[in-house]
Amino acid sequence: MELHNKDTFSDDVLPVVIVGNGPSGICLSYLLSGYTPYLSSDGFHPNPILHNKLSENPNLSLFDQDLEYLCEGVEGRSSNPVAVLFDALLLPDGDFGVDCPSPLTWRYEPERATPHLVLGKGPPGGAWHAMEGSMLTLSLANWMELPGLKLKDWMRDKRRNLRNDRATPAEIASYYQHYVSKMGLGKRFACGTTVTSVHRVALESGRTVWKIQGFQKRAKRGEGQKEVEVPFSVYAENVVLATGTHDIPARLAVEGENLPFVCHSFWELEAAISSGRLDRASEPVLVVGAGLTAADAVLAAHHLNTPVYHAFRRSVTDPALIFNQLPKLLYPEYHKVHQMMIQQQHKEDGTVVILSNPPVASPADGTIPYTSYPGYLSFPNHRVVAFKSDGKCVLEGEGGLQATLQVSMVLVLIGAHPNLSFLSEHGRPLGLYPEEPISCRRNPLDVDPYTYECSKGPGMYAMGPLVGENFVRFLKGGALAIACDIARKHNTVRQSTTENRITSLLVNQLTNCNLEA
């Protein structure tokens, strides 16, 4: 869809504009397009309390029910109650690995559809198109699917098989793109768009609405022409922030972090491998971080037989470490990384084992140090002090002892922050702690738990990682909450308009009638 600039005083206002076309935005578009969830006639939920509540109004759609009432007593692995509710309805007993059928049935009711627009920088699927394509997703495959299209069925049609009930990011990205097409949502998606401003404006009619501005990349007409950036502006009664948090890599803020060999994304490692700049003959790579992306980098370099130093600030036994929370059978590759982190730790005695390929034998006894996983050494409880222009990195342990490493490349993979530069003060006033930057973990946007409307921005909603939901299985609850609240608003406006018309008609009738004395 091509976007255009609109007159500043235009009253052509969309009910909803969604900023972000990842799984959050796709799921919300599905619900706003008239696809409506009901309790199936033979639907059964294993939670008896929830089943009884749903059975009280079996003919009402989920949109027409009291979500807060349905949420009571439902527990799950999210702090957002509607996210837990919708996950329980889509994947009953999902935490136990049980493939229990959902009690919901979906009906297409076009009369319920709310006109909306979805803006995204790339194709539908958002950041999934930029992720490393061959690694397996952390979540089980059915946790990644969206309502109305089973991921396993889609993969079977594509003649692909799930490995360990998990898919690759490339497969998930392709699934999301296909989903938009199959569900007929494509006409609502404007891809290649970058939003530069979202703010309140007053129209000529006196209405106060949101004005969304930005530019859209389009192919220039004529042979051999490059893309051009065309500005656009649209107006909306409601804006939904569904941008995710992968835009701005987190930084260490230490000396030398801007040196060319210090990188902040997994894709830079891929590029170095693809170009041949990094191979088994290279000096070691330093990976900083103890999350799953850092683990993916360790695996990629280790498979290449490039030596790897691995530094992180936590202890390997810290319960908050993600590896200590993952079942070993479901995530064997991450369990392997965790074993490496435990078994081959740097001994903080002032000496550092110099990694090389092939491993160098100790001159004293002819043995190769750290032989369980040659070419890897972890530095738990260490922080980076500085990077030097000669390729040296200085680490410091808890005891204050420093270790200097010679490396060919550094990957700082310690998370990312959302890019909300299109909002005033980068969205800080909307956070739980307005004086701090927005962060998925530490400072998500402050929203109503049952509507996802921003507490400090009426008419603005947020979902997905911006409200602390990193997993696709739980971000779908945000779509349900927002769709229900927008439907409620429209019903209220429609009812108010009808009442005003009736009142006006009665006034006219009374004015024109002749009363006898």
Side-chain angles (χ1 to χ4, degrees), residues 216-509:
Q216 184 177 31
K217 291 183 178 180
R218 299 182 197 164
K220 200 171 184 179
R221 303 193 183 279
E223 294 184 4
Q225 299 295 326
K226 295 183 178 180
E227 288 181 327
V228 294
E229 294 181 347
V230 180
F232 73 86
S233 60
V234 293
Y235 298 85
E237 295 173 8
N238 302 284
V239 171
V240 180
L241 305 178
T243 58
T245 62
H246 298 283
D247 293 312
I248 305 173
R251 299 176 67 87
L252 296 167
V254 299
E255 175 192 342
E257 193 168 4
N258 292 324
L259 289 169
F261 69 93
V262 181
C263 305
H264 293 81
S265 72
F266 185 91
W267 334 126
E268 292 172 276
L269 173 63
E270 280 192 311
I273 294 173
S274 299
S275 66
R277 289 187 292 112
L278 193 70
D279 57 28
R280 63 175 302 162
S282 301
E283 288 187 300
V285 170
L286 171 63
V287 177
V288 182
L292 299 179
T293 304
D296 288 340
V298 169
L299 288 170
H302 196 63
H303 290 162
L304 192 67
N305 287 324
T306 302
V308 181
Y309 293 122
H310 187 190
F312 43 96
R313 302 190 68 163
R314 295 184 184 275
S315 162
V316 291
T317 58
D318 190 329
L321 199 69
I322 185 65
F323 306 102
N324 291 318
Q325 303 172 26
L326 300 178
K328 296 177 182 179
L329 292 178
L330 283 178
Y331 308 100
E333 73 279 27
Y334 292 132
H335 176 58
K336 176 184 176 181
V337 173
H338 194 210
Q339 282 184 314
M340 294 164 68
M341 294 163 66
I342 294 172
Q343 294 182 18
Q344 301 197 179
Q345 298 183 42
H346 163 65
K347 297 176 177 59
E348 198 169 356
D349 57 4
T351 61
V352 176
V353 173
I354 299 175
L355 299 180
S356 61
N357 263 325
V360 179
S362 168
D365 55 12
T367 61
I368 297 174
Y370 303 101
T371 51
S372 296
Y373 297 101
Y376 173 88
L377 185 62
S378 73
F379 289 78
N381 301 308
H382 276 69
R383 67 181 185 90
V384 176
V385 175
F387 301 109
K388 303 298 183 180
S389 58
D390 58 358
K392 288 186 170 62
C393 307
V394 182
L395 306 181
E396 184 176 277
E398 282 186 320
L401 286 177
Q402 293 188 347
T404 301
L405 311 176
Q406 182 71 50
V407 301
S408 61
M409 185 178 191
V410 177
L411 290 156
V412 179
L413 303 173
I414 55 174
H417 301 298
N419 182 1
L420 297 177
S421 59
F422 54 85
L423 295 177
S424 174
E425 299 181 53
H426 294 261
R428 288 191 184 194
L430 301 175
L432 285 173
Y433 308 103
E435 67 283 356
E436 297 180 10
I438 299 300
S439 164
C440 174
R441 292 181 179 178
R442 298 179 180 85
N443 189 31
L445 298 189
D446 184 12
V447 297
D448 182 286
Y450 298 102
T451 67
Y452 284 60
E453 187 171 22
C454 291
S455 302
K456 300 156 191 171
M460 178 173 281
Y461 297 81
M463 62 186 302
L466 291 175
V467 296
E469 297 295 3
N470 278 318
F471 293 101
V472 173
R473 64 179 289 198
F474 291 120
L475 63 78
K476 291 173 278 192
L480 174 66
I482 294 169
C484 288
D485 195 55
I486 288 174
R488 178 191 59 79
K489 283 183 177 180
H490 279 211
N491 289 336
T492 301
V493 171
R494 191 179 299 113
Q495 183 178 356
S496 176
T497 302
T498 302
E499 290 175 352
N500 289 339
R501 286 176 180 172
I502 294 173
T503 301
S504 178
L505 180 61
L506 290 173
V507 169
N508 288 334
Q509 288 176 343

Side-chain angles (χ1 to χ4, degrees), residues 6 10-16 115 203 205 207-210 234-238:
K6 292 186 177 180
S10 169
D11 270 4
D12 184 10
V13 178
L14 283 165
V16 184
L203 300 182
S205 63
R207 297 172 65 190
T208 301
V209 297
W210 295 102
V234 293
Y235 298 85
E237 295 173 8
N238 302 284

Side-chain angles (χ1 to χ4, degrees), residues 152-170:
K152 288 183 179 180
D153 294 343
W154 174 80
M155 293 192 72
R156 192 178 302 114
D157 291 342
K158 296 291 181 181
R159 297 182 180 179
R160 300 174 183 174
N161 295 317
L162 293 173
R163 285 179 280 170
N164 227 11
D165 283 328
R166 291 159 66 202
T168 67

